[in-house]
Structures are given as C-alpha cells and as structure tokens.
Amino acid sequence: MIQINNDLVPADLSAKLTRFWELSAQKIRLIEAEYDTAKGSPVFTEAGKYTTRGWTEWTQGFQYGSAILQFDATGEPEFLEMGRTRTLTAMAPHVSHIGVHDHGFNNVSTYGNLLRLMHEGKIPFSEWEKNFYEMALKISGAVQASRWTTVRNGGFIHSFNGPHSLFVDTIRSCRALVVSHSLGHVFQGEGDARISLLERALLHMKATADYSIFYGGGRDSYDVWGRTAHESVFNTKDGAFRCPNSQQGYSGFTTWTRGLAWAMCGFPEELEYLQTLPDGELEPFGGRQEVEAFLLKAARATCDFYIEHTPVDGIPYWDTGAPNLHRLGNYLDRPAEPVNDFEPVDSSAAAIGAQGLLRLGKYLSEKGETEAGKRYTQAGLTVLNRLLEEPYLSTDPAHQGLLLHSIYHRPNGWDYVPEGSKIPYGESSMWGDYHIRELALYVQRLVDGGPYYAFFNCLGR
C-alpha cells in the first residue's frame, strides 16, 4: 500500500512545480512545432513522438486545454493565444459530437477553462466571448445527455460501445451536464419535453456508484471495498444489469486502475459542485443528504482501494489483477518499477487519482472529518511528489510527452514496446499530460494562495 508522507505540505513542492512548468512549456511548444494535425488528434507517444490512434476523438481537448492550463500557471501569453485560437478553430465538432461519451474531457477542458479564467479575472472580460463559451458548454452538456439509456430505477449516459454500455470513465463527463444545467440551459426532447440535465447527471452518477463500484457487501459480498469495473453491461430491452466487463482492463473482475482513477476524481469533484446548489434543487432526487451519501460512499471506497492496492510510492500498475503481477513478487511493498519484464505501470492513473484524493481530503476536512481528510490529502501529495520526479517527469528535450510511463490499451496491444522489452514503458499520453498539469495547477494554487481550482468556477460563482 502507499506509504503516506504525513509531513508534506504544498509549499514543499514549490521547486519541483517550478521545474515542472518549465518542462511543460517545452513540451507544448514541441508538439505545436512538430505534430502534423492532418493525422488527427494526438493520443499517445511512440518513441517519444505523439501519434494518433483511431478509436474515438476524445483527446484534442486535452491538447488545447493543456495550453490554457499552462497560461493559468505561468501567465505566458503565447499559451493563452494558442488555447484560445485552437479552441475556436478546432473544437466546434466536439461540441456537437453525438458519438462519444467524452464531452467533459474535450469541452470543459477548453471552453470551460477559458470561461473560468474570465470569471477569475485572469483574462479580460468580454461579453461576447463569455457568451460564446457559454453557448458551447450549454450545447455540449445537452448533446452528452442525449446519449441516454433508461434502466431499472434510473439511467445512464452510454459509452460509444452502444446503449448497453456504462463506462466508469464517464463520471467525469457529468461535468458537462451540470455546467449546462447551472448555466440555465433548457434541454428539450420529442414534443418539446423538458429534460432535466441535473437529473440525468445525478442518475448517471447513481448508476456508476451502484454498478461500476463494488463495496464488499450485499450483491458484492464476494468482492472487496472499492474495486471498480471498467464497463457495466445492461439488457436494453428490460433495463436489467447483466454483468461487469472491461474494454481496457484485464477483465470485469479485476480493476483497471485508470478507470478506478476516473471514479476517484469524478465523485469528489461532483460533491464539491453540489455545494453550489441550493437544497431545493436536490429535493426531487431524494434531498441533499441522500445524494451526497452515495457520492461520498463511492469516493471513499475508490480512494481507499487505491491506497491499499498501489505500491508504496503511489504509482499503480495498469490493472490490479493483471495476469503476471505475481511474477513481480511483493510489488506492493516497494516502489513501482516502470521497467520490468512482466507488467507495465500507468502513471496517468496516478495523476488522475491523486486529484481525487486531494479533493476528497479537502471535502472531508471541511465537513469536520479532519483525520480522514488529512489521510486522503497527504496521500494525494505523496503521489504528486513522486510524479514530479524522474523517471515519471520527462526531461528529455526531444521527447514530446510530459508524464512518462502512461498506458493506453494493453489488451489491444496499442502501446509502444521498446526494442528488447517485453512490456511498454517510457511513453506519454495526452490525457496523462493534461491531468498532471491539472493536478500541478491544483497544488500550485494552494502554494500561491490563489482561487481554489474547480471546473465549476466557469459558472462565475
């Protein structure tokens, strides 16, 4: 399990963060200069160069969102210009993309971040520019909500696999729905029926908490607290849950750690968002206490599982049930080993999950659970402290990636395996690079005493 450093404070990471943002700027410039956009969105690196992989268009928002985060952290105007211009010229197809479950990734990371900067006073206020970003976010949330499957006692936003498929990843796309809702958008269906975006977001969160996460009791009595399944499969004729499954993990009965990390991050940030709503808005859905209870249970369970089933330095292997982990011996009792003969680590899961640990820690501390809150906060800082060091931080000026040892799709064999190696290692992903920047910005603001970093700051509240 993770050896949590209880003495770390955000200021201890200041020097590492300064170096991080310098390297981050180099990588953004390198991609801008060298990557051929005619190939499609950059997805992950092969031998240090970004390439694409056709599956769905879910990473372009991370590319341009990274430039916006870079400006946010450093104030360098070239990155604001890059993020603004590319959002305008390249992101419109993602707003109307009906074929993906990734609107929270693509559009909140671009339009949302730009609108947030305006409300935070980091860029000049412009009524028309604000309206432009708001319109994109309103429509993005509605398009995302239209990917709807009704099941017993609720429903969910279905994945690109089809209406039977609930992905644990999509918990982070609920951001698109709640932002659209809070911007006052009216989502209409057949016969002008008004459809509540908040209701769809909450129902999706509930389905994810009920079917994607296991708690070790009741239906899950055979399982353990906090394990996740990447995919939950439903019978679309009668709405019945059928089985857990996995697309990118080893199986439906093992935990793909990036899927776990999406849940760790998604549930706490939605708990934070709900604090912006008056109690009356939650009454139709059982009331604040009931809604927050299932979100908090899911957040605690997933974060606990991560702490217990990750090596001491906080960097997980790609799946906690990967078939050759046993050949590594007592791998949980020593730091993760990116270079080995048996199973790869996934640093992107660490970058995503650490943000969830920090957010849950803050949430609990503010609710009076100071001891539990400190445990999660210190775990998050422990993970970030490791990610800001080699071999995870990419210092090679020719390598386009920022966060090394990220894994995309191990079952499909898509990841680059260096010559002479039995496993992939040493590469980066667009989501890993974006989320390490987002994590670093979160902590940078704690160091600097800046506004608390949250996606819903784009609402101007």
Side-chain angles (χ1 to χ4, degrees), residues 51 128 137 176 219 232 239 249 270 288 365-366 382 396 404 415 418 422:
T51 185
W128 275 106
L137 291 165
R219 185 201 69 178
S232 299
E270 293 298 345
R288 181 175 299 279
S365 295
E366 291 180 346
T382 299
D396 180 353
L404 300 179
D415 297 278
K422 296 180 180 179

Side-chain angles (χ1 to χ4, degrees), residues 7-29:
D7 297 323
L8 270 179
V9 296
D12 294 336
L13 303 180
S14 292
K16 289 182 176 180
L17 286 168
T18 297
R19 181 181 185 227
F20 170 84
W21 291 115
E22 291 170 353
L23 290 167
S24 172
Q26 293 173 16
K27 307 301 184 182
I28 294 172
R29 293 185 183 114

Side-chain angles (χ1 to χ4, degrees), residues 139-302:
I139 303 308
S140 176
V143 171
Q144 187 70 112
S146 69
R147 291 188 63 80
W148 192 250
T149 296
T150 299
V151 298
R152 297 176 183 178
N153 302 317
F156 61 88
I157 301 161
H158 59 260
S159 83
F160 65 81
N161 274 352
H164 64 286
S165 173
L166 165 63
F167 273 10
V168 70
D169 325 16
T170 311
I171 187 70
R172 263 217 119 184
S173 269
C174 289
R175 295 182 300 165
L177 278 71
V178 299
V179 165
S180 183
H181 165 78
S182 287
L183 288 172
H185 187 55
V186 177
F187 177 37
Q188 296 186 115
E190 299 296 325
D192 294 338
R194 296 166 72 97
I195 300 167
S196 168
L197 289 165
L198 178 62
E199 179 180 38
R200 289 211 165 171
L202 292 173
L203 288 175
H204 179 89
M205 294 176 208
K206 186 67 165 64
T208 304
D210 286 350
Y211 298 106
S212 300
I213 301 171
F214 298 80
Y215 301 101
R219 185 201 69 178
D220 310 330
S221 58
Y222 68 90
D223 219 308
V224 297
W225 172 258
R227 193 184 74 74
T228 60
H230 179 202
E231 183 178 41
S232 299
V233 178
F234 292 81
N235 182 331
T236 58
K237 290 186 177 293
D238 64 5
F241 171 71
R242 302 311 305 156
C243 63
N245 189 34
S246 189
Q247 297 294 317
Q248 290 170 264
Y250 181 58
S251 81
F253 295 94
T254 65
T255 294
W256 174 52
T257 52
R258 193 160 78 250
L260 171 71
W262 291 128
M264 292 168 63
C265 189
F267 283 109
E269 70 178 358
E270 293 298 345
L271 278 167
E272 292 178 330
Y273 164 77
L274 290 184
Q275 294 179 91
T276 71
L277 299 182
D279 290 346
E281 284 207 59
L282 296 176
E283 285 303 318
F285 314 112
R288 181 175 299 279
Q289 184 174 357
E290 182 176 318
V291 172
E292 291 185 348
F294 81 75
L295 291 172
L296 183 56
K297 180 181 179 182
R300 282 183 187 267
T302 51

